[in-house]
Amino acid sequence: MFIDKANIFLTAGRGGDGCISFRREKYVPFGGPNGGNGGKGGDIYFEADPHKTTLLDLSYKPKFRAEDGHKGQPSDKYGKYGQDLIIKIPQGTLIFKNGELFADLKTSGEKILAAKGGRGGRGNASFKTAKNTAPRIAEKGEPGETAEINLELRLIADVGFVGLPNAGKSTLLSQISAAKPKIADYPFTTLSPNLGVVDYKGRHFVAADIPGIIEGAHEGKGLGLEFLRHIRRTKVLIHLIDISGFDGSDPYESYKIINGELKKYSKYLSKKHIITVLNKIDLPECEKHIKAFKKRLKTKKIMMISAATGEGVEKFLAETVKMLDKPLKFNAEEEIETVPVKKYIYEPEFKIHKEDGVFVVTGKKVETLTEMTKFSEDDALRRYQNILKKMGLEDELEKMGCKPGDLVRICGLEFEFER
């Protein structure tokens, strides 16, 4: 089953908690703290895999979680790092992270970090100072990054076949490659794109049969809108027309319909190298249709083939290879969304707003500190309060009218304000 879109949710591994421990050995008085740090949580990567052709397996399992880091141990032993998770996706997959384009994996083995694991919490050995030689402070592991990911596959092909249903695209693909698409004499036989590798006199290229383009496809009619995206990476388009006039249709009107849909979908598609091919010339009464078509389209080079019998296919392949060698008038990657340059925007360490009488504090630094603090330890709680005070949180709360006894909420935890 061909699936070219998937929405998934990632949760990187949480860091392991730091350890509170003191060295206790015979003949070693005042051994001091020796609690080790927790291990880092596992990261989540995407990797382009040439053997994958669909996003089907990801649509069945939409939630992915990397392994958490392990806890620190006594004797200054670090916790084990959480195992990274690598998600294999087809080449040509666009990755949208939290609604924005994040990456475009086009080459085999290309890998990108999508969600970073949290760092391990520090053990009490890390908090030893000259003034505090026996700290009972250890951090909890930092939460791993979470992300909502939208994946969109765009097939990587050199040549794309377009045309109305029943134009003979699948038959032509089976004639020139080893692909075996389903072929029948009714429209919409092909329900998903088919790829085939063509070998013409030692020259190889990948051809894609794009199904379901009808009038109004760019608006979502038929199957066209779902699959038009797959020809955006191609260099050459083969516009295949049923010259026999299937079901009483006018071949020239069919030509205009497809050309119009390409222009409406993307301004770049009509600028690609396009070869107009009249198919089914082996059928009776096609001569009058060919003459009428050529009369109305004098400016274009037209090729004639029979995909069923192979007539004219050799000449068609030679022209296709010739077109592949010609440079485009525009950069083919212009039409693919470019990954935006990452901008680092300064944000305050915290923000405060009032909600139902409660002062709610938000901000990455404050929230991370809260998540990593062990409130069951008095030393850890005092450290937490001192850090918030140095950040200026208490002064800012007073400016906003916070009085002793008022509730302050941080990361879902509520505290009573005191000075």
Side-chain angles (χ1 to χ4, degrees), residues 131-187:
K131 290 184 177 179
N132 188 1
T133 57
R136 296 196 61 83
I137 303 173
E139 294 174 323
K140 293 195 292 184
E142 181 185 17
E145 186 181 358
T146 60
E148 182 179 352
I149 299 291
N150 298 313
L151 300 173
E152 185 179 296
L153 172 61
R154 292 186 182 171
L155 295 177
I156 295 179
D158 304 298
V159 176
F161 294 166
V162 295
L164 288 176
N166 230 55
K169 301 185 293 295
S170 297
T171 304
L172 178 58
L173 185 66
S174 67
Q175 177 75 245
I176 64 177
S177 74
K180 301 297 179 187
K182 181 181 178 183
I183 300 171
D185 60 352
Y186 57 86

Coordinates of all heavy atoms in Angstrom, one line a residue, residues 131-187:
K131 N 32.6 25.6 50.8 CA 31.7 25.9 51.8 C 30.7 24.8 52.1 O 30.2 24.7 53.2 CB 30.9 27.2 51.5 CG 31.8 28.5 51.4 CD 30.9 29.7 51.2 CE 31.8 31.0 51.2 NZ 30.9 32.2 50.9
N132 N 30.4 24.1 51.1 CA 29.4 23.0 51.3 C 30.0 21.7 50.9 O 30.0 21.2 49.7 CB 28.1 23.2 50.4 CG 27.0 22.2 50.7 OD1 27.1 21.4 51.6 ND2 25.9 22.4 50.0
T133 N 30.7 21.0 51.9 CA 31.5 19.8 51.6 C 30.6 18.5 51.6 O 31.1 17.5 51.2 CB 32.6 19.7 52.6 OG1 32.0 19.6 53.9 CG2 33.6 20.8 52.5
A134 N 29.4 18.6 52.1 CA 28.5 17.5 52.1 C 27.1 17.8 51.6 O 26.1 17.7 52.3 CB 28.5 16.9 53.5
P135 N 27.0 18.2 50.3 CA 25.7 18.6 49.8 C 24.8 17.4 49.6 O 25.2 16.3 49.2 CB 26.1 19.2 48.4 CG 27.3 18.5 48.0 CD 28.1 18.2 49.3
R136 N 23.5 17.6 49.9 CA 22.5 16.6 49.6 C 21.6 17.2 48.5 O 20.4 17.3 48.6 CB 21.6 16.4 50.9 CG 22.4 15.7 52.0 CD 21.5 15.2 53.1 NE 20.7 14.1 52.5 CZ 21.1 12.8 52.4 NH1 22.3 12.5 52.8 NH2 20.2 11.9 51.9
I137 N 22.3 17.4 47.4 CA 21.6 18.0 46.2 C 21.9 17.1 45.0 O 23.1 16.7 44.8 CB 22.1 19.4 45.9 CG1 21.9 20.3 47.0 CG2 21.4 19.9 44.6 CD1 22.6 21.7 46.8
A138 N 20.9 16.7 44.3 CA 21.1 16.0 43.0 C 19.9 16.4 42.1 O 18.8 16.7 42.6 CB 21.1 14.5 43.2
E139 N 20.2 16.5 40.8 CA 19.2 16.9 39.9 C 18.5 15.7 39.3 O 19.0 14.6 39.1 CB 19.8 17.7 38.7 CG 20.4 19.0 39.1 CD 21.1 19.6 37.9 OE1 21.8 18.9 37.1 OE2 21.1 20.9 37.8
K140 N 17.2 15.9 38.9 CA 16.5 14.9 38.1 C 17.0 15.1 36.7 O 17.5 16.2 36.3 CB 15.0 15.1 38.2 CG 14.4 14.8 39.6 CD 12.9 14.7 39.6 CE 12.2 16.0 39.3 NZ 10.7 15.9 39.4
G141 N 16.8 14.1 35.9 CA 17.2 14.2 34.5 C 16.3 15.2 33.7 O 15.1 15.4 34.0
E142 N 16.9 15.9 32.7 CA 16.2 16.9 31.9 C 15.2 16.1 31.0 O 15.6 15.1 30.4 CB 17.2 17.7 31.1 CG 16.5 18.7 30.2 CD 17.5 19.4 29.3 OE1 18.6 18.9 29.1 OE2 17.2 20.5 28.8
P143 N 14.0 16.6 30.8 CA 13.0 16.0 29.9 C 13.6 16.0 28.5 O 14.2 17.0 28.1 CB 11.8 16.8 30.1 CG 11.9 17.5 31.3 CD 13.4 17.7 31.5
G144 N 13.3 15.0 27.7 CA 13.7 15.0 26.3 C 12.8 15.9 25.5 O 11.7 16.2 25.9
E145 N 13.3 16.3 24.3 CA 12.5 17.2 23.4 C 11.3 16.5 22.8 O 11.4 15.3 22.5 CB 13.4 17.7 22.3 CG 12.8 18.8 21.4 CD 13.7 19.2 20.3 OE1 14.9 18.7 20.3 OE2 13.3 20.0 19.5
T146 N 10.2 17.1 22.7 CA 9.0 16.5 22.1 C 8.8 17.3 20.8 O 9.1 18.5 20.7 CB 7.8 16.6 23.0 OG1 7.5 18.0 23.3 CG2 8.0 15.8 24.2
A147 N 8.2 16.7 19.8 CA 7.9 17.3 18.5 C 6.8 16.6 17.8 O 6.7 15.4 17.8 CB 9.2 17.4 17.7
E148 N 6.0 17.4 17.1 CA 5.0 16.9 16.2 C 5.6 17.0 14.8 O 6.0 18.0 14.3 CB 3.7 17.7 16.3 CG 2.6 17.1 15.3 CD 1.3 17.9 15.4 OE1 1.2 18.7 16.3 OE2 0.4 17.6 14.6
I149 N 5.6 15.8 14.1 CA 6.3 15.7 12.8 C 5.3 15.4 11.7 O 4.5 14.4 11.9 CB 7.4 14.7 12.8 CG1 8.5 15.0 13.9 CG2 8.0 14.5 11.4 CD1 9.3 16.2 13.5
N150 N 5.3 16.1 10.6 CA 4.5 15.8 9.4 C 5.5 15.4 8.3 O 6.4 16.2 8.0 CB 3.7 17.0 9.0 CG 2.7 17.4 10.0 OD1 2.0 16.6 10.6 ND2 2.6 18.7 10.3
L151 N 5.3 14.2 7.8 CA 6.2 13.7 6.7 C 5.5 13.7 5.4 O 4.3 13.4 5.3 CB 6.7 12.3 7.1 CG 7.5 12.1 8.4 CD1 7.7 10.6 8.6 CD2 8.8 12.9 8.3
E152 N 6.1 14.2 4.4 CA 5.5 14.3 3.0 C 6.5 13.7 2.0 O 7.6 14.3 1.8 CB 5.2 15.7 2.7 CG 4.4 15.8 1.4 CD 4.1 17.3 1.1 OE1 3.2 17.8 1.9 OE2 4.6 17.9 0.1
L153 N 6.2 12.6 1.4 CA 7.1 12.0 0.4 C 6.9 12.6 -0.9 O 5.8 12.7 -1.4 CB 6.8 10.5 0.4 CG 7.5 9.7 -0.7 CD1 9.1 9.8 -0.5 CD2 7.1 8.2 -0.7
R154 N 8.0 12.9 -1.6 CA 8.0 13.3 -3.0 C 9.0 12.4 -3.7 O 10.2 12.5 -3.5 CB 8.4 14.8 -3.1 CG 7.3 15.7 -2.5 CD 7.6 17.1 -2.8 NE 6.6 18.0 -2.1 CZ 6.6 19.3 -2.1 NH1 7.7 19.9 -2.6 NH2 5.7 20.0 -1.5
L155 N 8.4 11.6 -4.6 CA 9.3 10.6 -5.3 C 10.4 11.3 -6.0 O 10.2 12.4 -6.7 CB 8.4 9.8 -6.3 CG 7.3 8.9 -5.7 CD1 6.5 8.3 -6.8 CD2 7.9 7.9 -4.8
I156 N 11.6 10.7 -6.0 CA 12.7 11.2 -6.7 C 12.8 10.4 -8.0 O 13.2 9.3 -8.1 CB 14.0 11.0 -5.9 CG1 13.9 11.9 -4.6 CG2 15.2 11.4 -6.7 CD1 15.2 11.8 -3.7
A157 N 12.4 11.1 -9.1 CA 12.4 10.5 -10.5 C 12.9 11.6 -11.4 O 12.8 12.8 -11.2 CB 11.0 10.1 -10.9
D158 N 13.6 11.1 -12.5 CA 14.1 12.0 -13.5 C 13.0 12.4 -14.5 O 13.0 13.5 -15.0 CB 15.2 11.3 -14.3 CG 16.3 10.8 -13.4 OD1 16.9 11.7 -12.8 OD2 16.6 9.6 -13.3
V159 N 12.1 11.5 -14.8 CA 11.0 11.7 -15.8 C 9.7 11.4 -15.2 O 9.5 10.4 -14.5 CB 11.3 10.8 -17.0 CG1 10.1 10.9 -18.0 CG2 12.6 11.1 -17.7
G160 N 8.7 12.2 -15.4 CA 7.3 12.0 -14.9 C 6.3 11.9 -16.1 O 6.3 12.7 -17.0
F161 N 5.5 10.9 -16.0 CA 4.4 10.7 -17.0 C 3.2 11.4 -16.5 O 2.7 11.0 -15.4 CB 4.1 9.2 -17.3 CG 5.3 8.5 -17.9 CD1 5.3 7.1 -18.0 CD2 6.3 9.1 -18.5 CE1 6.3 6.4 -18.6 CE2 7.4 8.5 -19.1 CZ 7.4 7.1 -19.1
V162 N 2.6 12.3 -17.3 CA 1.3 12.9 -16.9 C 0.4 12.8 -18.1 O 0.8 12.6 -19.2 CB 1.5 14.4 -16.6 CG1 2.4 14.6 -15.3 CG2 2.1 15.2 -17.7
G163 N -0.9 12.8 -17.8 CA -1.9 12.7 -18.8 C -3.2 12.3 -18.2 O -3.3 11.9 -17.0
L164 N -4.3 12.4 -18.9 CA -5.6 12.0 -18.4 C -5.7 10.5 -18.1 O -4.9 9.8 -18.7 CB -6.7 12.4 -19.4 CG -7.0 13.9 -19.5 CD1 -8.0 14.2 -20.6 CD2 -7.5 14.5 -18.2
P165 N -6.6 10.1 -17.3 CA -6.7 8.6 -17.1 C -6.9 7.9 -18.4 O -7.6 8.4 -19.3 CB -7.9 8.5 -16.2 CG -8.0 9.8 -15.5 CD -7.5 10.8 -16.4
N166 N -6.3 6.7 -18.5 CA -6.4 5.9 -19.7 C -5.6 6.4 -20.9 O -5.9 6.0 -22.1 CB -7.9 5.7 -20.1 CG -8.2 4.2 -20.4 OD1 -8.0 3.4 -19.5 ND2 -8.7 3.9 -21.5
A167 N -4.6 7.3 -20.7 CA -3.8 7.8 -21.7 C -2.7 6.7 -22.1 O -2.1 6.8 -23.2 CB -3.1 9.1 -21.4
G168 N -2.5 5.7 -21.3 CA -1.5 4.7 -21.5 C -0.2 4.9 -20.8 O 0.8 4.3 -21.2
K169 N -0.2 5.6 -19.7 CA 1.0 5.9 -18.9 C 1.6 4.6 -18.4 O 2.8 4.3 -18.4 CB 0.7 6.9 -17.8 CG 0.2 8.2 -18.3 CD 0.1 9.2 -17.2 CE -1.0 8.9 -16.2 NZ -2.4 8.9 -16.8
S170 N 0.7 3.8 -17.7 CA 1.2 2.5 -17.1 C 1.7 1.5 -18.2 O 2.7 0.8 -18.0 CB 0.1 1.9 -16.3 OG -0.3 2.7 -15.3
T171 N 1.0 1.5 -19.3 CA 1.5 0.6 -20.4 C 2.9 1.0 -20.9 O 3.7 0.2 -21.1 CB 0.5 0.6 -21.6 OG1 -0.8 0.3 -21.1 CG2 0.9 -0.3 -22.7
L172 N 3.1 2.3 -21.1 CA 4.4 2.8 -21.5 C 5.5 2.5 -20.5 O 6.6 2.1 -20.9 CB 4.3 4.3 -21.8 CG 5.6 5.0 -22.3 CD1 6.1 4.3 -23.5 CD2 5.4 6.5 -22.5
L173 N 5.2 2.7 -19.2 CA 6.1 2.4 -18.2 C 6.5 0.9 -18.2 O 7.7 0.6 -18.1 CB 5.6 2.8 -16.8 CG 6.6 2.7 -15.6 CD1 7.7 3.6 -15.8 CD2 5.9 2.9 -14.3
S174 N 5.6 0.0 -18.4 CA 5.9 -1.4 -18.4 C 6.6 -1.8 -19.7 O 7.4 -2.8 -19.7 CB 4.5 -2.2 -18.4 OG 3.8 -2.0 -19.5
Q175 N 6.5 -1.0 -20.8 CA 7.2 -1.2 -22.0 C 8.6 -0.9 -21.9 O 9.5 -1.6 -22.5 CB 6.5 -0.4 -23.1 CG 7.1 -0.5 -24.5 CD 6.8 -1.8 -25.2 OE1 7.7 -2.6 -25.4 NE2 5.5 -2.1 -25.5
I176 N 9.0 0.2 -21.2 CA 10.4 0.7 -21.2 C 11.1 0.3 -20.0 O 12.3 0.6 -19.9 CB 10.4 2.2 -21.4 CG1 9.7 2.9 -20.2 CG2 9.7 2.6 -22.7 CD1 9.8 4.4 -20.3
S177 N 10.5 -0.3 -19.0 CA 11.2 -0.7 -17.7 C 10.7 -2.0 -17.3 O 9.8 -2.6 -17.9 CB 10.9 0.4 -16.7 OG 9.6 0.3 -16.1
A178 N 11.2 -2.4 -16.1 CA 10.8 -3.7 -15.5 C 9.6 -3.6 -14.6 O 9.2 -4.5 -14.0 CB 11.9 -4.4 -14.8
A179 N 9.0 -2.4 -14.5 CA 7.9 -2.1 -13.6 C 6.7 -2.9 -14.2 O 6.5 -3.0 -15.4 CB 7.6 -0.7 -13.5
K180 N 5.9 -3.4 -13.2 CA 4.7 -4.2 -13.6 C 3.4 -3.6 -13.0 O 2.8 -4.1 -12.1 CB 4.8 -5.6 -13.2 CG 6.0 -6.4 -13.7 CD 5.9 -6.5 -15.2 CE 7.1 -7.2 -15.8 NZ 7.2 -7.2 -17.3
P181 N 3.0 -2.4 -13.4 CA 1.8 -1.8 -12.9 C 0.6 -2.5 -13.4 O 0.6 -3.1 -14.4 CB 1.9 -0.3 -13.4 CG 2.7 -0.4 -14.7 CD 3.7 -1.5 -14.5
K182 N -0.5 -2.3 -12.6 CA -1.8 -2.9 -13.0 C -2.3 -2.1 -14.3 O -2.3 -0.9 -14.3 CB -2.8 -2.7 -11.9 CG -4.2 -3.3 -12.2 CD -5.1 -3.2 -11.1 CE -6.5 -3.7 -11.4 NZ -7.5 -3.5 -10.4
I183 N -2.7 -2.8 -15.3 CA -3.1 -2.2 -16.5 C -4.5 -2.7 -16.9 O -4.8 -3.9 -16.9 CB -2.2 -2.5 -17.7 CG1 -0.8 -1.9 -17.4 CG2 -2.7 -1.9 -19.0 CD1 0.3 -2.3 -18.3
A184 N -5.5 -1.8 -17.2 CA -6.8 -2.2 -17.6 C -7.4 -1.1 -18.5 O -6.8 0.0 -18.5 CB -7.7 -2.4 -16.4
D185 N -8.5 -1.4 -19.1 CA -9.1 -0.4 -20.1 C -10.1 0.5 -19.5 O -11.1 0.8 -20.1 CB -9.6 -1.2 -21.3 CG -10.7 -2.1 -20.9 OD1 -10.9 -2.3 -19.7 OD2 -11.4 -2.7 -21.8
Y186 N -9.9 0.9 -18.2 CA -10.9 1.8 -17.6 C -10.1 2.9 -16.9 O -9.0 2.6 -16.4 CB -11.8 1.1 -16.7 CG -11.2 0.3 -15.6 CD1 -10.8 0.9 -14.4 CD2 -11.0 -1.1 -15.7 CE1 -10.2 0.2 -13.3 CE2 -10.4 -1.8 -14.7 CZ -10.0 -1.2 -13.5 OH -9.4 -1.9 -12.5
P187 N -10.6 4.1 -16.7 CA -9.9 5.2 -16.0 C -9.7 4.8 -14.6 O -10.4 4.0 -14.0 CB -10.9 6.4 -16.2 CG -11.8 6.0 -17.3 CD -11.9 4.5 -17.3

